[in-house]
Amino acid sequence: MVDENPTTLWVERTGTRAYTGRSSRGAEVLIASQGVPGAFTPGELLKIALAGCSGLSADFTLSRRLGDNFDATIRVSGDADRENEVYPQLDEQFELDLSELDDATRDRLLVAVQRAIDKACTVGRTLKAGTKVNLNFDVDA
């Protein structure tokens, strides 16, 4: 299914090794080298995109069982292989309070959450499958 009204995304250079990512919906994110205060590195954004996608994919399933006001934190980590400039592994850790559920109900919920993420998390599915990236240049000559 193709999105009928896709959001336009772009980045603009705002300084030395610093960019601002923008969307046609008015969102902004600062992107820069590691150590620049208030900005994310591209790798950090990749990790946050994965965690955010997992959370959003699981949200309906979790809220249906836990109610709309449940707390969740999804931590994501993974060291870069700097020789090859890839993240060979990313690890996500869901933090949920399921203490009110019995063991069987908790296990069923976690299976349902995993299925929801596997089915709907486009970022995770893309990372697992790999993707083709095309780079083009529009230059003034």
Side-chain angles (χ1 to χ4, degrees), residues 118-133:
D118 289 345
K119 180 180 178 185
C121 180
T122 304
V123 175
R125 292 171 59 87
T126 299
L127 288 170
K128 288 175 184 174
T131 192
K132 181 179 177 182
V133 177

Side-chain angles (χ1 to χ4, degrees), residues 10 26 28 30 38 41 49 51 60 62 64 66 84 88 95-96 102 114 116 118 130 135 140:
W10 69 99
E28 294 184 355
L30 302 179
T41 67
F60 178 74
L62 288 167
R64 206 173 62 219
L66 303 175
N84 296 301
E95 297 175 4
L96 296 165
D102 63 54
Q114 183 69 59
D118 289 345
L135 175 63
D140 294 330

Side-chain angles (χ1 to χ4, degrees), residues 61 104-118:
T61 302
T105 302
R106 184 186 65 240
D107 292 346
R108 281 193 308 274
L109 177 60
L110 293 176
V111 167
V113 166
Q114 183 69 59
R115 280 191 196 133
I117 292 169
D118 289 345

Side-chain angles (χ1 to χ4, degrees), residues 5-141:
N5 298 306
T7 300
T8 303
L9 303 171
W10 69 99
V11 298
E12 296 174 351
R13 187 171 190 267
T14 55
T16 303
R17 295 189 49 80
Y19 288 77
T20 298
R22 302 185 192 281
S23 82
S24 57
R25 293 190 325 267
E28 294 184 355
V29 63
L30 302 179
I31 308 163
S33 299
Q34 188 167 355
V36 174
F40 292 104
T41 67
E44 290 167 341
L45 288 173
L46 175 74
K47 293 174 191 178
I48 287 172
L50 176 62
C53 187
S54 292
L56 289 169
S57 297
D59 204 77
F60 178 74
T61 302
L62 288 167
S63 65
R64 206 173 62 219
R65 186 67 183 102
L66 303 175
D68 286 335
N69 296 321
F70 72 92
D71 292 326
T73 300
I74 304 146
R75 299 188 189 283
V76 62
S77 62
D79 294 330
D81 170 352
R82 289 297 173 207
E83 184 175 318
N84 296 301
E85 289 299 333
V86 298
Y87 290 98
Q89 179 173 320
L90 297 175
D91 298 306
E92 291 181 280
Q93 183 69 40
F94 251 87
E95 297 175 4
L96 296 165
D97 181 359
L98 302 181
S99 61
E100 298 295 317
L101 305 179
D102 63 54
D103 290 348
T105 302
R106 184 186 65 240
D107 292 346
R108 281 193 308 274
L109 177 60
L110 293 176
V111 167
V113 166
Q114 183 69 59
R115 280 191 196 133
I117 292 169
D118 289 345
K119 180 180 178 185
C121 180
T122 304
V123 175
R125 292 171 59 87
T126 299
L127 288 170
K128 288 175 184 174
T131 192
K132 181 179 177 182
V133 177
N134 296 313
L135 175 63
N136 297 293
F137 295 94
D138 184 3
V139 298
D140 294 330

